[in-house]
Amino acid sequence: MKLAIVQHLLRPAPAQDLEALVIAAARAAASGADLVIVPDVNAVSDGPLRDELARRLDDAVAVPTLVAGTDLETVAEGLGRVLLLSGDDCMEAEVLRSLAADPPDALVLAPGSESELQAEAMLELAIGLSTSVASLVMIVEADGAEPGVAGHGGSAIVHLGEVLAEALAGDDVLLADLADPPGRPEPRGSMPQVPPLLAGRLAAHQGRKPDVGYPADLG
């Protein structure tokens, strides 16, 4: 199967975000994608255009489309059981440990990186998760936000420790051909450590100081 991930450059107005997302998703489908995943854009999903985006994607995109918003679990043809994590859940130790106990077939991460350094750290974590939890790990992000605000790119498709596609800055469409289904890590590697930068972000969001000894051992 061919998988497509849309990285979206944030626009000045929600209506412009909506149009750009629909156009990019349709272009990905026209390129032969069997499944298209687009990032959640707060300006659209938190306002009156949320339902309009879903309707427009249904009308314009001839293949299944997933919006990487809140945490969810779904089944996608060709991938199997897909688990989507968003925000701090992407780097929360207990959440990641639960994945090891009941691993999905594919994992979608929408962390909302707040800097380019966080985006780089999330890719490092995704590579580790692709050899320990789900062989296919996808990072789906927007780009173009101010420092400290979610939306600094880093979208990628990772399979068994290999980065198959990685977005540049701004708008981008990632395409990757995968086995159907993509398989599972065999043998499974140990759970990766959370990079210190992400552990620090999590602690800050929870109003606590980072524990001494980070990166946290999730094994």
Side-chain angles (χ1 to χ4, degrees), residues 129-172:
L129 291 172
S130 75
T131 59
S132 58
V133 175
S135 64
L136 177 62
V137 180
M138 298 157 279
I139 304 174
V140 187
E141 290 279 68
D143 189 31
E146 296 295 322
V149 178
H152 290 268
S155 301
I157 302 172
V158 182
H159 183 246
L160 290 174
E162 179 184 359
V163 180
L164 301 182
E166 184 177 2
L168 302 175
D171 287 326
D172 210 342

Side-chain angles (χ1 to χ4, degrees), residues 21 36 62 91 100 104 117 135 141 151 157 162 172 184 198:
L21 287 168
V36 180
M91 57 208 75
L117 290 178
S135 64
E141 290 279 68
I157 302 172
E162 179 184 359
D172 210 342
R184 295 189 174 186
L198 300 181

Side-chain angles (χ1 to χ4, degrees), residues 91-207:
M91 57 208 75
E92 170 61 62
E94 291 189 7
V95 173
L96 298 180
R97 278 196 292 266
S98 72
L99 298 186
D102 184 21
D105 297 301
L107 182 62
V108 178
L109 303 175
S113 293
E114 299 164 351
S115 68
E116 292 183 8
L117 290 178
Q118 283 189 14
E120 292 173 4
M122 181 52 60
L123 179 58
E124 175 188 340
L125 180 59
I127 291 171
L129 291 172
S130 75
T131 59
S132 58
V133 175
S135 64
L136 177 62
V137 180
M138 298 157 279
I139 304 174
V140 187
E141 290 279 68
D143 189 31
E146 296 295 322
V149 178
H152 290 268
S155 301
I157 302 172
V158 182
H159 183 246
L160 290 174
E162 179 184 359
V163 180
L164 301 182
E166 184 177 2
L168 302 175
D171 287 326
D172 210 342
V173 175
L174 306 182
L175 295 168
D177 290 307
L178 297 160
D180 180 3
R184 295 189 174 186
E186 293 293 347
R188 291 189 183 275
S190 59
M191 287 291 290
Q193 296 177 328
V194 173
L197 189 67
L198 300 181
R201 161 183 152 163
L202 186 63
H205 287 184
Q206 295 176 346

